Amino acid sequence: MSERTPLLHYRLSTSVNESEPRAPPAGQAPEQHPGSPRQRTTHQRQPKKLSTFFGVVIPTLLSMFSVVVFLRIGFLVGQSGLYQAIAMFLVAYFIICMTVLSVCAISTNGALDAGGAYYMISRALGPEFGGSIGIMFFLANVCGSALYVLGLVEAIVATFGVPEDASLAASSYQVLPSGYWWSLLYATVIALLCLLVCLVGAHIYAKASFLIFLVVMFVLGTIFISFFAVSPRTIVLPGSASFNPTVNGTAPATANFTGFKLDTLLGNLWANYTVDYTTGTLMTFATVFAVMFNGCTGIMAGSNMSGDLKNPSYSIPRGTITAVIFTFIIYNLLSLLVACSCDRVLLQKDYSFLRDINVWHPFVTIGVYSSTLSAAMSNLIGASRILYALARDDLFGKVLSPAKKTSHSGNPWVSVLLSWFLVQLVLFSGKLNTIASIVTIFFLLVYAAVDLACLALEWASAPNFRPTFRYFTWHTCVLGIVGCAVMMFLINAIYASASIAFMLLLLLLIHYLSPTSSWGYISQALIFHQVRKYLLMLDVRKDHVKFWRPQILLMVSNPRSSVGLITFINDIKKSGLYVLGHVQLGDLDTLPSDPLQAQYDSWLSLVDHLNIKAFVNLTLADSVRHGIQHLLFISGLGGMRPNTLILGFYDDSLPKDKLIEPSLSGSLSTDLLCTSQELQHQPLRFHFASLRGSSSRQDGGEFGDGKVLGPQEYVAIIADAMKMLKNVVLARYFNNFDRAQVLSQASSSPGKGAVYVDVWPVNLLRPDSSSYVDTCSLFLLQLACILNMVRAWRKATLRLFLCVEEGRSVRGSEEKLGQLLKELRIKAQIYPVSWDQQVSLHWQRQGKWGKNLGPPSPDTIKEDKKQQVDEEEDEEDYVNSFPSNTTRLSDDYLSAVNQLILEQARPPPAVRFLYLPRPPADTRRYTTYLRQLELLTQNLGPTLLIHGVTPVITTDL
């Protein structure tokens, strides 16, 4: 069975697969693309040949003219009166007209050779909406089939059944026993007859559909004639009606057909709700409307024939609207004629009175039997085809897989059997009016969903949604949704709530099952539309420091060694933008195609696996520096652009593959639901290159040991980012960082402060300037505070280290810093640290060996003189130059500061935040600058070197 094959046939067509080649086995039904050779030959054998009348009008009329027109017109007028009856028709037809407009819009949006309401909706809205609506439509058809079977049983028992009241004499043809179990038996037999027809061949019904249509129209004609041709008469009420006494205790046994009389009309104008003699329950407006609305539930029959129409875009709107208008006129005319000529007692106590007043009684009986049996079989066929379509689409996994099985001729016999079984279960309700409310609510829910589908397509403003039927707006969709919702709760609030909850449950179930489909997702179109609108409203000129948040671009060389860093940075983004950037070296001039396109899936799978909220940006460039410049310039959109660049640290340590290590991979996902079996298959999910230095990677790289980036270029990247006014963060020793293990210490330890975050907000490379309130220090404090605000890190303790020298007021500095933290609403513990010994090492270096440090070598003297000259040039010749101590710092000083940081870490922190000084303006000193950073952070564990260039914190309200 191909995708161009009608999935759901209502009234007129043959079985879905009986005249087609045999379908492949279950689970091997490939989707055929339009224009394939097999499909062209199939359609050459089966040309579309149905006109608007035969393909749309007849199926729709046969769906709408069923139980209601023959058995419930009198019930409607007798209970609610003519005024309320017409009001009910107006409300019902208003609701279905709004839905008809939506159906016409969807059905005329492109080629619809496939047919089927479920197919249209699922392909238009994606699997979530399509699957949930499909299930509800299936259940509506199942209950509808049972409804029509019960209506037929009621007609048979009324005609041929023995009266339940023994005092009433039975006619010679009233031989069938009556009662609940007998009615259930008759309904079961009729359902079996429908089952046999569907199993043997639905083409038998299809060939007779036009004949059934003629019979129904002829019977309707005799009914209209009878109102004028039949003289007034007294009609004996059925036994069950007289068996239920009225309020005053009397039980009328007869009622009158008065012919056209004004008194009769006046007596039938207003409502008079009484007990329904078939169910024994008191009728209300809602219950009567539920019964009446079943005569309006066939409007989708024509759209389901789209695969067999000559011109679906032309036929579906015109045919459906024609059938709706015709049925509306017929129902209102019948209501008016009944109200003018029939006594109210007759209308309330004899639902088959049209047979008694007909010119020939069997006419109505024939009409009831033919139309109701036709509707019952049609709903059973429709339900089975929907179930088969749902099974083929694999929306519910293996649950519906048996329903894929077909016979040699292609008939989905398992779906037919399952549908018949559910119909049989519904038949146990026993009475037509009992399940009328359920059927009505199901159809109303489906109609509301169709209106919602059209509304979503209209609001999504997708260029490909341009239906040729333009007589609809989003207003009609909203009116349809509101009308359906209001009527659902008026009919039965409990059933309506349960149905909506069931539908939402199905939607969520399909969403989490995540079936793969190429149909398109309306949710993605709506999200895109809204995101674009709000991005345009996000004006960068209105940015304010009060509402600053980090928007991060994290450069990742290879995700295999960066898992710990990726997950940690996800914690400090504070609902901001988070972009994973990657630069691949290459030139499109020498490549046959873009190599990045094939890598996106692996990166997105990595994002899903780590359970982080990040975007992915990949670029191709001739150097890493140029690639990062590209990403800094073009990443983001509108007001959502990265303001912070994060790089891994440049050193000689070999990276380790943490993406395939079960202990780490299992702990990185915050939900911790990865099974060992899944972890074994992870290397197959991520198609990333091998790490440098691994046995499977032989290339040495331009800079040896597999590196494609040199120290000079690395520092130049830092300088570039600062020139572009981006904050810069360097992350070191995160290769072995295990977020779950670190955070587990906080929850397992009884005392508070089991996890520490150390903050050193002073420029340790500038011991002569220990300011705590410059822009960079405040940015460093802000990031540490953001980390502490994350739920997982809320139990961590911030430790702020205040570097002080002798001769300065330690207490005063501590109080000043504490007051600053209080104003900034940052909770941290302040630890004064004396670093006179370390600072002295620095000043000794500045003393030009004047304190008996030993004679310097000639090379050293020459180098220092050159450095002094260069420093003087810095202040004059280099743009954005700051006083730099790059060449003045000794290794002894840096090692002493490094040791000082290590000594203060008792117990050791989970992560450290250090001040990152600006790179020297002279590019010749880049290597020295990087070596100094390496000495400063040696063996410190997970460390962030941070440099902020923009104000990010404020004390204002």
Side-chain angles (χ1 to χ4, degrees):
M1 176 175 171
S2 68
E3 278 218 353
R4 296 169 64 89
T5 306
L7 301 182
L8 176 58
H9 291 231
Y10 246 72
R11 301 292 183 263
L12 204 59
S13 64
T14 58
S15 176
V16 89
N17 275 328
E18 289 177 21
S19 55
E20 291 193 3
R22 185 177 178 184
Q28 300 179 9
E31 291 188 353
Q32 298 286 337
H33 296 283
S36 64
R38 178 182 172 185
Q39 293 203 341
R40 285 196 292 269
T41 56
T42 301
H43 282 272
Q44 287 170 3
R45 292 196 304 268
Q46 273 196 330
K48 290 183 283 189
K49 56 186 178 181
L50 295 179
S51 63
T52 302
F53 180 73
F54 287 96
V56 182
V57 176
I58 289 179
T60 307
L61 287 177
L62 283 177
S63 297
M64 302 179 77
F65 283 150
S66 54
V67 178
V68 173
V69 71
F70 295 115
L71 297 180
R72 289 297 183 266
I73 276 291
F75 162 79
L76 172 63
V77 177
Q79 295 285 350
S80 61
L82 181 62
Y83 288 157
Q84 286 195 17
I86 294 176
M88 286 182 185
F89 281 123
L90 288 173
V91 171
Y93 274 82
F94 174 79
I95 292 173
I96 68 169
C97 282
M98 297 299 101
T99 305
V100 164
L101 297 180
S102 300
V103 170
C104 293
I106 295 177
S107 64
T108 58
N109 185 42
L112 278 182
D113 348 55
Y118 159 72
Y119 181 89
M120 287 191 301
I121 296 170
S122 62
R123 267 56 178 181
L125 302 182
E128 291 101 335
F129 277 101
S132 56
I133 293 172
I135 287 290
M136 300 307 295
F137 203 29
F138 165 71
L139 294 176
N141 278 273
V142 165
C143 294
S145 179
L147 178 79
Y148 296 133
V149 169
L150 291 174
L152 182 54
V153 169
E154 186 178 309
I156 292 174
V157 171
T159 306
F160 299 105
V162 175
E164 294 185 12
D165 188 0
S167 62
L168 295 177
S171 303
S172 58
Y173 54 82
Q174 289 181 316
V175 294
L176 295 178
S178 58
Y180 169 78
W181 292 107
W182 285 106
S183 297
L184 179 61
L185 176 63
Y186 304 149
T188 303
V189 172
I190 295 170
L192 282 171
L193 175 64
C194 297
L195 172 66
L196 290 175
V197 171
C198 294
L199 287 177
V200 173
H203 60 281
I204 300 174
Y205 163 68
K207 291 177 181 177
S209 59
F210 182 60
L211 178 61
I212 293 175
F213 172 74
L214 292 178
V215 169
V216 171
M217 291 298 106
F218 176 76
V219 172
L220 275 176
T222 62
I223 288 174
F224 278 105
I225 293 172
S226 299
F227 283 110
F228 299 93
V230 175
S231 58
R233 61 181 64 178
T234 300
I235 298 172
V236 177
L237 298 177
S240 57
S242 59
F243 181 75
N244 292 322
T246 56
V247 177
N248 57 13
T250 61
T254 60
N256 297 319
F257 170 71
T258 62
F260 290 98
K261 284 188 177 181
L262 183 58
D263 292 340
T264 306
L265 175 61
L266 295 175
N268 289 326
L269 288 179
W270 305 102
N272 181 20
Y273 294 107
T274 60
V275 174
D276 173 27
Y277 73 89
T278 61
T279 60
T281 58
L282 180 64
M283 292 291 102
T284 62
F285 177 90
T287 54
V288 173
F289 179 82
V291 175
M292 182 278 303
F293 193 79
N294 284 286
C296 312
T297 53
I299 58 172
M300 291 188 185
S303 60
N304 290 320
M305 300 301 298
S306 57
D308 299 294
L309 298 174
K310 292 178 182 177
N311 189 349
S313 299
Y314 176 89
S315 298
I316 289 175
R318 289 164 177 79
T320 305
I321 293 173
T322 300
V324 168
I325 293 174
F326 182 75
T327 54
F328 178 74
I329 294 172
I330 293 296
Y331 279 139
N332 281 279
L333 277 178
L334 271 178
S335 300
L336 179 62
L337 293 175
V338 165
C340 291
S341 60
C342 296
D343 187 7
R344 172 152 281 187
V345 176
L346 175 64
L347 299 179
Q348 291 179 343
K349 301 299 181 184
D350 187 3
Y351 297 159
S352 57
F353 73 98
L354 288 177
R355 179 197 63 203
D356 298 321
I357 65 172
N358 200 273
V359 290
W360 190 52
H361 295 178
F363 276 155
V364 175
T365 303
I366 293 171
V368 170
Y369 292 178
S370 59
S371 65
T372 312
L373 186 62
S374 164
M377 285 192 297
S378 176
N379 275 268
L380 182 59
I381 293 172
S384 65
R385 293 328 187 249
I386 297 172
L387 185 62
Y388 177 63
L390 286 166
R392 274 187 67 246
D393 289 336
D394 284 324
L395 296 185
F396 295 93
K398 297 181 180 179
V399 177
L400 296 180
S401 57
K404 296 180 184 178
K405 295 182 180 179
T406 59
S407 63
H408 291 286
S409 60
N411 191 28
W413 59 274
V414 177
S415 298
V416 174
L417 286 174
L418 290 174
S419 303
W420 165 80
F421 177 74
L422 292 178
V423 169
Q424 185 63 49
L425 291 180
V426 178
L427 290 177
F428 280 96
S429 62
K431 296 295 182 181
L432 185 151
N433 288 7
T434 305
I435 61 171
S437 299
I438 301 174
V439 176
T440 304
I441 286 173
F442 277 165
F443 275 106
L444 280 169
L445 191 59
V446 172
Y447 292 169
V450 173
D451 288 321
L452 180 64
C454 190
L455 178 67
L457 288 169
E458 178 71 6
W459 276 356
S461 301
N464 283 323
F465 182 64
R466 44 179 185 269
T468 56
F469 182 85
R470 294 302 306 168
Y471 300 102
F472 79 100
T473 65
W474 67 268
H475 305 86
T476 61
C477 300
V478 171
L479 287 174
I481 294 171
V482 172
C484 291
V486 170
M487 293 315 303
M488 282 170 56
F489 283 93
L490 280 179
I491 290 168
N492 193 310
I494 297 176
Y495 287 167
S497 302
S499 300
I500 292 174
F502 180 60
M503 182 176 175
L504 292 176
L505 185 66
L506 287 173
L507 195 146
L508 291 174
L509 176 65
I510 300 175
H511 177 73
Y512 284 110
L513 286 176
S514 299
T516 54
S517 72
S518 58
W519 308 340
Y521 295 82
I522 189 64
S523 57
Q524 295 298 305
L526 288 171
I527 291 170
F528 177 89
H529 181 70
Q530 294 301 311
V531 167
R532 180 195 62 85
K533 181 171 69 175
Y534 287 114
L535 272 176
L536 290 173
M537 296 169 62
L538 191 61
D539 192 345
V540 293
R541 295 168 296 183
K542 298 179 181 178
D543 281 348
H544 194 278
V545 65
K546 285 191 298 186
F547 306 110
W548 180 90
R549 66 181 73 239
Q551 306 200 72
I552 296 169
L553 172 63
L554 171 63
M555 297 306 303
V556 180
S557 174
N558 193 321
R560 294 191 176 279
S561 61
S562 307
V563 171
L565 180 59
I566 292 172
T567 53
F568 176 76
I569 299 302
N570 185 65
D571 285 336
I572 66 171
K573 69 180 186 302
K574 189 56 180 174
S575 303
L577 180 68
Y578 184 19
V579 180
L580 299 181
H582 174 71
V583 179
Q584 180 163 330
L585 300 183
D587 188 352
L588 277 180
D589 289 339
T590 61
L591 295 171
S593 61
D594 183 6
L596 301 177
Q597 297 301 320
Q599 300 180 22
Y600 270 103
D601 284 344
S602 291
W603 282 86
L604 295 176
S605 297
L606 174 76
V607 169
D608 294 337
H609 167 66
L610 297 180
N611 196 22
I612 61 175
K613 297 176 181 178
F615 299 94
V616 174
N617 254 6
L618 311 180
T619 190
L620 190 70
D622 56 354
S623 69
V624 176
R625 182 182 181 183
H626 288 164
I628 295 179
Q629 287 177 359
H630 297 166
L631 293 177
L632 285 174
F633 277 125
I634 66 174
S635 288
L637 204 61
M640 292 187 66
R641 292 185 179 277
N643 55 29
T644 304
L645 173 68
I646 300 183
L647 304 170
F649 197 79
Y650 190 94
D651 54 23
D652 294 327
S653 62
L654 288 177
K656 297 179 181 178
D657 193 341
K658 295 296 181 179
L659 201 54
I660 60 173
E661 192 170 310
S663 60
L664 186 60
S665 298
S667 61
L668 285 169
S669 180
T670 55
D671 53 10
L672 301 176
L673 293 179
C674 294
T675 62
S676 58
Q677 184 178 1
E678 290 174 343
L679 292 167
Q680 291 173 3
H681 294 287
Q682 282 176 4
L684 302 177
R685 292 172 55 192
F686 307 117
H687 302 285
F688 299 121
S690 301
L691 294 172
R692 61 183 177 89
S694 63
S695 58
S696 58
R697 180 163 170 172
Q698 303 300 327
D699 61 307
E702 184 180 347
F703 298 93
D705 203 15
K707 292 183 180 180
V708 294
L709 180 68
Q712 190 80 9
E713 185 180 2
Y714 177 79
V715 181
I717 292 171
I718 301 173
D720 291 343
M722 293 182 184
K723 290 176 184 178
M724 298 166 68
L725 297 182
K726 306 294 183 184
N727 309 302
V728 178
V729 178
L730 307 183
R732 191 176 190 189
Y733 295 121
F734 277 88
N735 191 29
N736 295 316
F737 182 78
D738 188 342
R739 176 180 180 273
Q741 182 178 349
V742 168
L743 296 177
S744 65
Q745 299 175 8
S747 58
S748 61
S749 300
K752 184 182 177 183
V755 175
Y756 293 95
V757 176
D758 285 2
V759 182
W760 295 77
V762 66
N763 186 354
L764 297 174
L765 300 190
R766 289 285 305 274
D768 54 332
S769 174
S770 56
S771 172
Y772 286 93
V773 290
D774 64 350
T775 300
C776 186
S777 297
L778 293 178
F779 180 78
L780 191 145
L781 287 173
Q782 179 80 317
L783 283 190
C785 179
I786 288 174
L787 180 65
N788 199 211
M789 293 169 68
V790 177
R791 177 179 299 178
W793 292 84
R794 203 163 288 168
K795 295 183 178 180
T797 302
L798 293 185
R799 295 191 300 193
L800 190 60
F801 292 95
L802 175 64
C803 295
V804 293
E805 300 179 42
E806 289 183 3
R808 294 190 180 184
S809 173
V810 176
R811 190 177 188 86
S813 300
E814 187 175 353
E815 289 179 355
K816 184 178 179 181
L817 183 58
Q819 182 63 28
L820 174 66
L821 294 178
K822 184 178 181 181
E823 292 178 359
L824 298 178
R825 291 90 62 203
I826 297 176
K827 186 178 181 180
Q829 298 177 3
I830 301 176
Y831 292 89
V833 177
S834 174
W835 67 331
D836 293 84
Q837 184 178 356
Q838 290 76 20
V839 172
S840 64
L841 291 173
H842 171 69
W843 293 116
Q844 286 175 8
R845 172 65 182 263
Q846 309 305 316
K848 298 288 184 181
W849 320 284
K851 298 182 179 179
N852 301 322
L853 295 177
S857 65
D859 292 338
T860 308
I861 296 174
K862 182 179 180 181
E863 179 185 350
D864 281 4
K865 286 183 178 180
K866 179 177 180 298
Q867 289 170 352
Q868 286 180 354
V869 174
D870 289 341
E871 287 167 12
E872 293 173 0
E873 291 177 355
D874 282 349
E875 301 176 3
E876 299 175 1
D877 300 338
Y878 289 94
V879 180
N880 291 334
S881 63
F882 287 81
S884 174
N885 287 335
T886 306
T887 56
R888 300 176 182 176
L889 297 174
S890 66
D891 291 352
D892 293 338
Y893 165 75
L894 293 171
S895 299
V897 173
N898 173 262
Q899 194 63 32
L900 173 69
I901 296 174
L902 284 173
E903 289 173 356
Q904 302 302 320
R906 296 292 181 270
V911 63
R912 287 182 174 89
F913 288 68
L914 301 185
Y915 190 116
L916 174 67
R918 193 178 269 270
D922 186 358
T923 58
R924 292 169 295 183
R925 301 177 185 165
Y926 279 178
T927 305
T928 305
Y929 168 80
L930 183 60
R931 181 172 175 274
Q932 290 171 351
L933 296 180
E934 183 177 0
L935 288 174
L936 178 67
T937 59
Q938 191 169 12
N939 300 322
L940 289 187
T943 303
L944 294 181
L945 288 160
I946 301 170
H947 186 91
V949 296
T950 56
V952 298
I953 203 165
T954 179
T955 58
D956 297 335
L957 182 62

